[in-house]
Amino acid sequence: MSEFDLGRFEEEAHERWLHAFESNPSNREKYYITVAFPYPSGAMHVGHGRTYIVPDVIARFWRMRQKQVLFPMAFHVTGAPVVGISKRIARNDPKTIHLYRDLYKVPQNVLEEFTNPLTIVRHFAAEYQRVMTSCGLSIDWRRRFITVDPTYSKFVEWQWKHLYEAGHVIKGVHPVRYCTVDDNPVGDHDLLEGDKAEVIKFTLVMFRFGDAFIPTATLRPETIHGVTNLWANPNVTYVKALVDGNAWIISKEAAEKLVLQDHTVEVKEEIPGKDLVDKNVSHPLCGTVPILPADFVDPDMATGMVMSVPAHAPFDYIALRDLQQQGKYTQIKPVPLIKVDGYGEVPAQDAVERAGIHHQMDSRMDALTQEIYSAEFSKGKLFVKFGGKPVRVAREEMAQEMLNKYDSVVMYEFDSRPVICRCGNKVKVKILHDQWFLKYSDPAWKQQVSDHLKDMALVPPEVRTEFDRTVGWLKDWACTRRVGLGTKFPWDPVQLIEPLSDSTVYMAYYTIAHKIREIDPKLLTPEVFDYIFLGKKSPDLPEKRKLDAMREEFLYWYPYDFRFSAKDLISNHLTFQIFHHVTIFPKDKLPKGMVVFGMGLLNGAKMSSSKGNVFLLEDAVSEFGADTVRMFLTGSAEPWQDFDWRNELVLSTKKQIERFYATITELKGAQGEPQDIDRWLISRLQEHIVKMTAALENFQTRQALQEASFGIETDLKWYRRRLPEGCDGSRELATLCSVWTRLLAPFIPFTAEHLWRELGNKDLISFAEWPVADEKLINSKIELSEELLARTVEDIESIKKLIQITPKSLTIVLAPAWKHEVFRTIAQSTDRNTVIKEIMKNDTMKKRGKEATDAAKQCTTLIHRLPPHVVEPLAKEPLNERAVFEEAQAFLEHEFGVPVHIVDAESSGHAKGATALPFKPAIVIE
RNA sequence: GCGAGGGUAGUCAAGCCAGGUCAAAGGCGCUGGAUUUAGGGUCCAGUCUCGCAGGAGUUCAAGGGUUCGAAUCCCUUCCCUCGCACCA
């Protein structure tokens, strides 16, 4: 007997697996699975571990089902994050250094090289491969690539040529969050503050002020007729600037912003805010109005000047009222222009007074503004003298009219502030030109995706609605970038293809990755890929032989059967890839299915590298062993559920494997003669095989493990309990050992590989045949007998506990034949309400009277309580209970340590005998 | 705020779609017992409340409804997770 030593099993297996999982086209049926490849900017933690281990279990399962399985892996290195990381390391940023040196344990000399972003991803890609291998992932590593390989770039260019020709790539203008210090657009990741802020399109209403304009930003241009004044902040210094050749008076901040939004701006002079107060401005649509002072005007909001509509804007109303209470500007009256149900003549006044608000700093002001805004937008109508149109129509028309006739321009601004970049600078809105988009908004394209989605298998099924929603919701996607690593954008080579957009059909690339390397990238024209993937012939193709081999690989493997990824990728990658597939590939090469994963927790908290709340996969493997990690990650939750890594639970998983190992080692040599109970065990085993196989076909790793691990373990316990004294099992156990080891092999391949050899097999268990249930070995009669016995034992135990006497003997009283008949009649009946009446029509039953009615009632209750797998066979034919208990008499006497008598109710004379029912004998303890 | 998915005993979790097999599987934890020099391991039993005969009562976020019958179906409220984009 060899000792349980996971470390040693791992070494043994790695040696034997070295090239074992390299997979080539064959005459077997193929099974191709892919996982979203990692962006290797740091070390792998146990959360990553599950993402790759679950597919590996599935791969191993189908491999044993004798499919030709392909499970490849590559590394996604395109994008900007590592560029930022390398910069931070170059300037010795303490947080970054701490993360990489102390948490990810990068050696000092390697860390020094990290000033080059490519070094980072290369280092961690190698690291990933090493750790993945140590976990026993059965990956075909010949197909590994990274997304900056020149060959891969050629593939991306080919892909984009098709997208472009299909009209899905368009050029546009786009407002983005922008940091002027970094000179770069700012993503959510790069924000210190303000990630909720949205870019809003304002219309600037241009008021004439002498020879200059005062532009005020508004979301409600339709209220221009109600303007009574402007607001300027007397404490702010404004500037007069030439904007596109016209003089504007705006805040300093606004001048800086406008530069980023396609305007030439030349600041001429400064004007203190107080100098503007009480001056008059005019607009063709509202006439001449004064500028009033207001401290609430924020120079950093749009132009720093605001138009005031006190009748419809609570802020304006209350600010004006405050001034008037000081006796100033009393001649100004709010000018209403919108009628809205539920409010009086002057809605803003109405709302403020109803809410009992007394000053502008009241915290409810924002909500109130929102309330009026929504009410007027959804139900409001302009007065007839202003056109009488609904607000939602008038707003758009008025904005357009102002832009056309009244010098208005558009300005973009955030709806809330502050918005701060990670560098500490304020983020502004910049209009990007030469920005390219993938036109995901195209209804025809969406339709193609929706149509295909219907044919795809989605696991778990609940995610389907989310996919449908995402397809409907997707807008155009900005697909070019100016920084980071990546493939040059073919129609504008200063730009790069955005990293999510270069990774949508790479699953096809895996099929040829190991062969295309042999060809000089310069020769890889789009025609070459058209031939490999689409079968399009063209003259002068290079290396025709190699191309044919690749075409053969592609045709064999593609489409992929399942793609695995975490659920946070539904709204981008997982949906994008369908868009790209439907454009490029023919119908029979479109993806077949997806499995969406839940998230990982560590001791109940979300795993996060930046917060340091991670447990590195490598540490987990060395501490607990690869099989333990695998079994825990696949067994503690189904793949789509969130899982929680807790060391104490992992430890108990390890014990479980040890127990399994010890059991097999102990049982494999059993030589006893098979007994009835062996037939029971083998019968049960067939059912475990069926259930476990079904579970794995449905990706239910947890369910499968429960079936194969605890299910079989529990059976064995009963089996051993039932064995006659001095017998340690029969040679049938050899079958069980072989089956059990194979069932667990996908989960704990290292231990299984070792045991498989111990069981006398020369070949790898990784390729051994998956157990198939033999219907003929299923013996429901024996199972029923054992169930009766087990239930009776349970009953005896619970009675024993209740009465608390030392029993001297045990009598099992069997129900009479007529009760069996009643039981059967009820079990067979479809209408359980009338069946009792039917029974009582029978003469012999009538004679028994109340005894029979009671028995019928009790049987009905019992039948409700018993599981169907018990009731069904009993409905067909009665079980010979006497035989069951006589066979088990020795067992029962041994269990309870007292003599056991088995008697029939009618001859026993025991009062208790009357309660005996089929499948529930009466028990008398004396 | 909008969209999607959830809330089950100490805890993790099955059951829910196809209502009665549900006081509700299984794991972990805890308690007691057996084995053991001890610990560990293993085995047995218990783990909502009451009960000295296998039973009864009250439970499945909260409240209401449908039904002979609801953890399961419908409605409302509260709470949690994920996504909301130019980012992997």
Side-chain angles (χ1 to χ4, degrees):
Chain A
M1 182 164 126
S2 69
E3 223 167 283
F4 180 78
D5 179 354
L6 256 180
R8 186 163 58 86
F9 303 165
E10 287 172 21
E11 273 174 45
E12 288 170 7
H14 283 309
E15 216 171 281
R16 301 176 71 199
W17 287 345
L18 203 52
H19 294 285
F21 303 114
E22 294 173 359
S23 193
N24 297 310
S26 74
N27 51 15
R28 295 181 181 207
E29 209 178 310
K30 66 93 187 179
Y31 191 83
Y32 176 21
I33 58 175
T34 69
V35 192
F37 51 18
Y39 183 79
S41 64
M44 270 180 110
H45 57 65
V46 289
H48 298 120
R50 185 173 73 153
T51 311
Y52 304 103
I53 287 168
V54 171
D56 183 65
V57 169
I58 301 301
R60 286 177 174 276
F61 166 66
W62 286 106
R63 202 175 281 124
M64 291 176 75
R65 295 285 294 276
Q66 303 305 304
K67 296 233 187 178
Q68 189 69 45
V69 171
L70 177 58
F71 180 29
M73 188 58 61
F75 298 99
H76 188 217
V77 306
T78 40
V82 284
V83 177
I85 293 165
S86 67
K87 277 188 190 150
R88 266 174 271 147
I89 287 179
R91 73 170 123 95
N92 264 315
D93 174 62
K95 256 177 110 177
T96 311
I97 299 280
H98 168 70
L99 182 65
Y100 280 80
R101 192 186 52 206
D102 304 333
L103 198 66
Y104 295 158
K105 295 170 195 141
V106 178
Q108 188 59 38
N109 59 327
V110 180
L111 195 62
E112 281 160 17
E113 304 284 312
F114 274 15
T115 48
N116 176 355
L118 261 178
T119 314
I120 302 179
V121 286
R122 290 228 161 91
H123 172 82
F124 285 113
E127 195 74 8
Y128 262 65
Q129 180 168 353
R130 216 191 71 233
V131 178
M132 284 172 163
T133 305
S134 79
C135 289
L137 302 189
S138 55
I139 288 168
D140 180 351
W141 284 112
R142 296 171 307 162
R143 297 168 193 264
R144 171 193 193 273
F145 61 90
I146 66 174
T147 50
V148 289
D149 287 343
T151 315
Y152 183 76
S153 282
K154 290 290 177 187
F155 168 74
V156 172
E157 283 171 21
W158 166 78
Q159 171 193 348
W160 279 72
K161 181 168 170 281
H162 280 274
L163 291 168
Y164 188 84
E165 284 169 0
H168 296 320
V169 184
I170 55 166
K171 192 174 176 177
V173 171
H174 190 54
V176 294
R177 288 188 297 229
Y178 201 85
C179 175
T180 46
V181 173
D182 292 350
D183 204 16
N184 228 341
V186 183
D188 263 356
H189 283 304
D190 303 319
L191 283 174
L192 219 50
E193 213 179 320
D195 56 333
K196 286 277 174 288
E198 277 186 62
V199 174
I200 306 274
K201 185 177 167 181
F202 285 90
T203 306
L204 298 188
V205 180
M206 310 303 277
F207 288 86
R208 178 62 70 180
F209 179 69
D211 62 345
F213 280 125
I214 292 184
T216 62
T218 183
L219 291 171
R220 308 187 57 186
E222 79 281 6
T223 61
I224 178 70
H225 300 292
V227 172
T228 58
N229 61 284
L230 300 195
W231 298 113
N233 191 328
N235 308 315
V236 164
T237 305
Y238 290 86
V239 295
K240 188 174 196 177
L242 278 179
V243 178
D244 304 328
N246 299 314
W248 290 19
I249 292 172
I250 48 181
S251 70
K252 273 186 189 165
E253 290 85 345
E256 288 167 21
K257 288 175 190 172
L258 288 166
V259 175
L260 297 173
Q261 298 190 18
D262 292 347
H263 300 285
T264 59
V265 179
E266 201 183 325
V267 174
K268 289 294 186 193
E269 56 179 301
E270 294 193 346
I271 302 177
K274 60 179 175 3
D275 290 0
L276 294 170
V277 170
D278 292 339
K279 300 274 168 38
N280 284 332
V281 297
S282 67
H283 191 281
L285 295 174
C286 70
T288 301
V289 295
I291 301 175
L292 270 47
D295 291 342
F296 67 79
V297 174
D298 180 356
D300 198 23
M301 177 63 188
T303 56
M305 297 287 281
V306 182
M307 70 183 208
S308 169
V309 187
H312 297 284
F315 262 114
D316 293 341
Y317 170 78
I318 210 161
L320 181 62
R321 194 184 67 180
D322 285 357
L323 285 174
Q324 291 177 338
Q325 278 169 356
Q326 298 163 25
K328 298 178 195 163
Y329 311 110
T330 45
Q331 78 288 358
I332 297 176
K333 295 274 174 282
V335 180
L337 70 157
I338 294 166
K339 170 76 194 135
V340 56
D341 286 347
Y343 294 91
E345 174 83 354
V346 182
Q349 179 180 9
D350 216 25
V352 166
E353 283 171 4
R354 237 187 281 168
I357 290 173
H358 300 295
H359 52 85
Q360 33 183 300
M361 302 317 283
D362 195 299
S363 58
R364 290 169 293 170
M365 284 302 290
D366 280 327
L368 209 61
T369 302
Q370 189 57 43
E371 179 195 316
I372 298 276
Y373 184 99
S374 311
E376 295 190 345
F377 181 72
S378 57
K379 304 183 291 194
K381 260 189 179 169
L382 258 60
F383 290 176
V384 175
K385 63 175 164 176
F386 299 120
K389 289 189 174 159
V391 169
R392 62 172 77 219
V393 177
R395 178 169 301 169
E396 206 39 55
E397 284 182 4
M398 183 56 80
Q400 209 49 56
E401 191 180 339
M402 286 184 170
L403 291 172
N404 293 342
K405 290 194 207 161
Y406 303 111
D407 303 299
S408 280
V409 296
V410 162
M411 180 173 182
Y412 293 97
E413 181 60 287
F414 299 113
D415 65 344
S416 67
R417 270 150 306 110
V419 183
I420 309 288
C421 177
R422 194 131 73 174
C423 73
N425 193 42
K426 267 189 204 159
V427 176
K428 300 186 175 77
V429 181
K430 178 179 167 81
I431 293 176
L432 281 188
H433 292 267
D434 302 324
Q435 178 62 53
W436 292 77
F437 294 88
L438 278 164
K439 204 165 189 272
Y440 291 143
S441 65
D442 179 356
W445 202 8
K446 282 179 194 255
Q447 191 56 49
Q448 276 180 287
V449 173
S450 296
D451 288 347
H452 179 63
L453 209 44
K454 289 193 192 85
D455 297 333
M456 284 185 81
L458 299 181
V459 181
E462 296 86 66
V463 299
R464 185 171 292 279
T465 46
E466 213 179 332
F467 271 105
D468 288 338
R469 264 284 313 169
T470 301
V471 174
W473 162 84
L474 271 180
K475 291 178 276 211
D476 294 344
W477 178 262
C479 61
T480 53
R481 291 289 173 281
R482 284 158 184 82
V483 290
L485 304 175
T487 301
K488 281 181 180 151
F489 186 69
W491 299 275
D492 185 1
V494 254
Q495 301 201 58
L496 300 167
I497 291 173
E498 178 272 332
L500 283 188
S501 307
D502 74 3
S503 303
T504 51
V505 294
Y506 70 94
M507 311 71 147
Y509 188 81
Y510 279 130
T511 66
I512 59 163
H514 55 316
K515 294 191 169 159
I516 200 161
R517 266 196 287 272
E518 296 168 15
I519 301 180
D520 182 348
K522 284 202 275 299
L523 300 176
L524 297 176
T525 58
E527 287 73 28
V528 169
F529 290 105
D530 273 347
Y531 181 71
I532 297 173
F533 294 121
L534 305 173
K536 234 193 252 169
K537 297 200 171 71
S538 50
D540 306 325
L541 285 174
E543 309 260 22
K544 191 72 191 327
R545 254 233 202 97
K546 288 177 182 167
L547 300 194
D548 282 332
M550 286 189 262
R551 171 117 185 104
E552 192 195 323
E553 287 252 2
F554 174 74
L555 286 177
Y556 179 74
W557 296 115
Y558 230 60
Y560 68 75
D561 292 84
F562 276 96
R563 176 149 187 84
F564 295 71
S565 169
K567 69 175 165 196
D568 50 349
L569 260 49
I570 292 178
S571 65
N572 46 61
H573 168 77
L574 287 176
T575 306
F576 291 2
Q577 54 124 4
I578 309 176
F579 273 88
H580 290 224
H581 269 94
V582 297
T583 301
I584 296 169
F585 294 102
K587 200 149 180 41
D588 65 326
K589 295 292 172 206
L590 298 183
K592 288 183 37 192
M594 289 187 274
V595 180
V596 178
F597 286 162
M599 316 295 276
L601 303 176
L602 179 60
N603 297 319
K606 195 175 164 177
M607 251 184 260
S608 156
S609 304
S610 53
K611 291 193 187 110
N613 189 41
V614 287
F615 190 40
L616 296 192
L617 185 55
E618 187 169 23
D619 294 345
V621 169
S622 61
E623 190 173 339
F624 300 101
D627 278 347
T628 313
V629 171
R630 293 175 61 103
M631 184 145 158
F632 178 79
L633 289 174
T634 50
S636 65
E638 297 294 8
W640 41 90
Q641 298 171 324
D642 296 348
F643 77 96
D644 190 4
W645 179 282
R646 286 174 195 264
N647 279 0
E648 72 268 18
L649 296 183
V650 179
L651 224 45
S652 83
T653 304
K654 185 170 187 182
K655 282 180 202 161
Q656 202 185 328
I657 301 174
E658 273 175 48
R659 213 157 55 223
F660 162 71
Y661 180 82
T663 310
I664 297 288
T665 316
E666 191 189 323
L667 296 185
K668 70 180 170 48
Q671 287 301 327
E673 281 301 312
Q675 323 252 334
D676 273 0
I677 196 65
D678 285 285
R679 284 162 63 202
W680 174 83
L681 187 68
I682 296 300
S683 172
R684 295 276 298 177
L685 185 60
Q686 308 311 308
E687 285 158 308
H688 291 308
I689 294 173
V690 170
K691 284 192 187 151
M692 189 191 182
T693 306
L696 276 182
E697 284 174 354
N698 293 316
F699 307 95
Q700 292 165 292
T701 53
R702 174 196 165 92
Q703 175 74 32
L705 265 176
Q706 291 222 349
E707 202 55 54
S709 193
F710 300 116
I712 295 177
E713 224 175 75
T714 307
D715 284 353
L716 265 176
K717 278 182 202 168
W718 180 252
Y719 171 84
R720 287 165 142 172
R721 203 167 157 187
R722 289 280 281 122
L723 281 179
E725 252 176 299
C727 174
D728 59 354
S730 80
R731 48 183 183 270
E732 289 284 344
L733 288 172
T735 315
L736 180 123
C737 289
S738 161
V739 169
W740 200 8
T741 308
R742 277 177 289 153
L743 289 179
L744 288 177
F747 295 90
I748 50 169
F750 296 103
T751 306
E753 214 53 272
H754 180 85
L755 278 174
W756 192 239
R757 216 149 51 160
E758 298 266 299
L759 292 173
N761 302 285
K762 291 214 166 52
D763 295 334
L764 289 170
I765 196 169
S766 302
F767 295 87
E769 247 178 86
W770 186 255
V772 180
D774 184 347
E775 295 273 334
K776 291 195 289 291
L777 294 176
I778 297 181
N779 188 330
S780 52
K781 209 164 171 189
I782 285 198
E783 288 195 33
L784 202 58
S785 307
E786 288 302 314
E787 177 122 17
L788 170 62
L789 188 63
R791 278 169 182 266
T792 309
V793 167
E794 244 172 69
D795 278 354
I796 297 170
E797 267 158 0
S798 77
I799 296 167
K800 239 178 85 183
K801 238 189 63 192
L802 277 171
I803 57 169
Q804 289 177 346
I805 58 163
T806 315
K808 298 202 174 54
S809 80
L810 187 69
T811 309
I812 292 170
V813 189
L814 302 173
W818 69 267
K819 282 193 184 173
H820 281 275
E821 219 170 284
V822 170
F823 185 97
R824 231 174 323 135
T825 314
I826 296 171
Q828 285 166 357
S829 79
T830 43
D831 184 354
R832 285 174 185 173
N833 294 320
T834 57
V835 68
I836 295 180
K837 281 182 198 153
E838 291 299 317
I839 291 169
M840 294 315 290
K841 281 181 188 160
N842 183 309
D843 279 345
T844 52
M845 293 298 168
K846 257 188 207 159
K847 265 183 241 160
R848 296 187 189 274
K850 186 168 184 307
E851 192 189 6
T853 345
D854 286 351
K857 279 182 193 154
Q858 286 159 1
C859 281
T860 311
T861 318
L862 183 61
I863 284 166
H864 274 288
R865 292 204 172 158
L866 292 172
H869 74 259
V870 170
V871 176
E872 276 162 30
L874 286 177
K876 287 187 198 120
E877 59 172 319
L879 180 66
N880 184 345
E881 296 187 2
R882 174 168 280 277
V884 171
F885 288 110
E886 275 174 359
E887 188 277 329
Q889 194 161 8
F891 162 72
L892 289 171
E893 289 183 346
H894 179 250
E895 280 282 307
F896 296 102
V898 293
V900 173
H901 311 287
I902 298 145
V903 298
D904 288 322
E906 280 162 338
S907 56
S908 72
H910 275 290
K912 277 267 160 245
T915 64
L917 288 174
F919 219 73
K920 197 166 179 60
I923 293 156
V924 182
I925 299 175
E926 286 162 321

